[in-house]
Amino acid sequence: MKKINTTLGRIDLDRLGKVDVHDHLILDRSQNRTIPEDFHHTDVDLISREVAAWKAAGGGVIVDSSPIGAGRNIELLNETSLHSQVPFIVSSGFHKLSYYQKDHWLYSASEAEIAEILLAECSEGVLLDDRNPNQSNRSSTKANMLKIGVDSEGISLLGSKLINAVVKTATQLEIPLMIHTEPGVPFDTLVDTLESGKVDPARVIICHMGKSLDLELHRALADRGYYLEFDEMVRPFPPLSELASTIRSLFNEGFGGAVLFAGDLARRGYWSCYGGSPGLPFLITSLNEDLLDLGFTQEILDKIWIENPQTLFSN
């Protein structure tokens, strides 16, 4: 059986459980002030208790989707995972460019150099200091997810360089790739760029589909084999009823195997341990009850939380 790299070592696919495929357990803005202040949450004790509550509610592995230079702190992630006894899948790659100051090495490094850095994070260990990749020591934790951010401004020459490096690494290692998107992203151009790199759509998660709540777009992406990740359930917009209706339509049209759920609790105000709401356990407790009331079945929910992530990581 295929094994996945996590903060608690390599685990079998059948140990993934209910997977939150996109979250931000630790976000550390101490070295990057372009990250909003409300996105800073680094208290291991507080976060560990909330993650343990997620586990007690039936939750499994969580993908921490903060990549290089965008608030990732591998040492605090490892501590939080150890304290809560929940395995985290760590991400390499990059977020959207607005998170990187102009002196960051991603601007000057070549595509080949970037690909080499990403490959090493996945095969040798995540950098302890990703601001200085040529001088940093490594964690024993290896990344098992790659990320790239694309916003409504489209794909620049720099963005193309980063996408190419990430796609090359994901294809070489046969590990999943997630793509941060915003409303207005040129999805046709994005997909063409991905497929020019021979990426396997069955290993690609296109994130924040609730922000681009367009069933025709979702249908087209799913038909090409991409995963669609929805994480807007903790937010006031779009209304949960509208989001649920769109997702049910995907199931009714035979695209249920493409749907993934996540929390994306980047803001401190979403964490109950910081006095916010709805909190991490909400995703598999109250939210599930609300979705059942809106016409979902337990079979559908298990497919989204358990079966689809297992298939993604097995590809």
Side-chain angles (χ1 to χ4, degrees):
M1 177 175 289
K2 188 173 182 179
K3 291 184 180 289
I4 306 299
N5 292 318
T6 77
T7 48
L8 296 182
R10 291 172 62 76
I11 65 172
D12 292 331
L13 276 174
D14 61 3
R15 287 186 55 204
L16 294 179
K18 294 180 179 179
V19 181
D20 177 352
V21 298
H22 180 145
D23 231 309
H24 298 276
L25 300 156
I26 295 290
L27 265 173
D28 183 358
R29 68 187 293 269
S30 61
Q31 304 298 325
N32 184 354
R33 296 299 178 176
T34 67
I35 297 173
E37 197 279 331
D38 188 38
F39 283 36
H40 183 82
H41 38 91
T42 59
D43 190 314
V44 169
D45 290 337
L46 285 179
I47 297 166
S48 297
R49 288 199 290 271
E50 186 149 340
V51 175
W54 152 270
K55 180 181 179 180
V61 165
I62 303 173
V63 178
D64 187 273
S65 60
S66 297
I68 289 172
R72 186 184 67 184
N73 185 318
I74 188 59
E75 293 174 293
L76 296 185
L77 275 173
N78 284 335
E79 286 184 44
T80 304
S81 175
L82 185 62
H83 288 186
S84 63
Q85 282 299 291
V86 173
F88 304 154
I89 294 172
V90 177
S91 300
S92 188
F94 306 95
H95 211 309
K96 58 185 180 181
L97 291 176
S98 60
Y99 280 151
Y100 299 92
Q101 296 178 339
K102 297 303 182 182
D103 60 351
H104 194 280
W105 54 262
L106 68 81
Y107 289 91
S108 58
S110 69
E111 181 181 313
E113 290 169 333
I114 292 171
E116 184 177 348
I117 290 168
L118 301 179
L119 180 65
E121 285 220 312
C122 298
S123 58
E124 299 176 23
V126 172
L127 294 163
L128 296 180
D129 177 11
D130 57 30
R131 294 166 299 158
N132 299 288
N134 296 324
Q135 302 171 21
S136 174
N137 292 325
R138 297 184 184 276
S139 168
S140 60
T141 298
K142 300 173 184 177
N144 209 112
M145 176 70 73
L146 286 157
K147 181 173 182 176
I148 194 69
V150 180
D151 59 27
S152 57
E153 296 179 2
I155 301 173
S156 63
L157 286 175
L158 174 59
S160 181
K161 176 181 75 170
L162 298 178
I163 290 174
N164 290 341
V166 168
V167 166
K168 178 180 179 181
T169 307
T171 302
Q172 180 176 346
L173 295 176
E174 298 184 345
I175 63 174
L177 161 63
M178 69 166 56
I179 304 172
H180 167 94
T181 68
E182 305 275 0
V185 161
F187 284 97
D188 288 341
T189 302
L190 171 60
V191 168
D192 288 345
T193 303
L194 292 172
E195 295 182 0
S196 68
K198 310 299 182 185
V199 72
D200 183 353
R203 296 195 193 102
V204 179
I205 308 168
I206 301 182
C207 300
H208 313 312
M209 287 288 93
K211 292 182 180 179
S212 301
L213 199 61
D214 178 344
L215 183 57
E216 184 176 348
L217 169 66
H218 299 168
R219 186 187 298 118
L221 292 171
D223 191 48
R224 294 176 79 154
Y226 294 96
Y227 281 91
L228 312 177
E229 180 258 292
F230 295 87
D231 54 51
E232 289 72 28
M233 296 81 71
V234 303
R235 294 160 178 77
F237 186 83
L240 182 60
S241 58
E242 185 178 346
L243 190 62
S245 176
T246 300
I247 295 168
R248 285 175 55 209
S249 294
L250 287 168
F251 272 85
N252 292 338
E253 295 182 20
F255 296 118
V259 179
L260 299 168
F261 277 175
D264 188 26
L265 305 183
R267 294 186 181 278
R268 192 166 58 244
Y270 290 135
W271 288 83
S272 57
C273 64
Y274 280 98
S277 67
L280 187 62
F282 163 83
L283 297 170
I284 51 173
T285 54
S286 299
L287 174 62
N288 270 22
E289 294 172 8
D290 292 342
L291 291 174
L292 289 170
D293 290 341
L294 289 167
F296 280 59
T297 64
Q298 192 58 52
E299 182 181 9
I300 287 175
L301 292 170
D302 287 345
K303 186 171 184 62
I304 294 170
W305 285 113
I306 302 172
E307 296 174 30
N308 290 349
Q310 280 194 6
T311 303
L312 165 72
F313 282 102
S314 70
N315 289 330

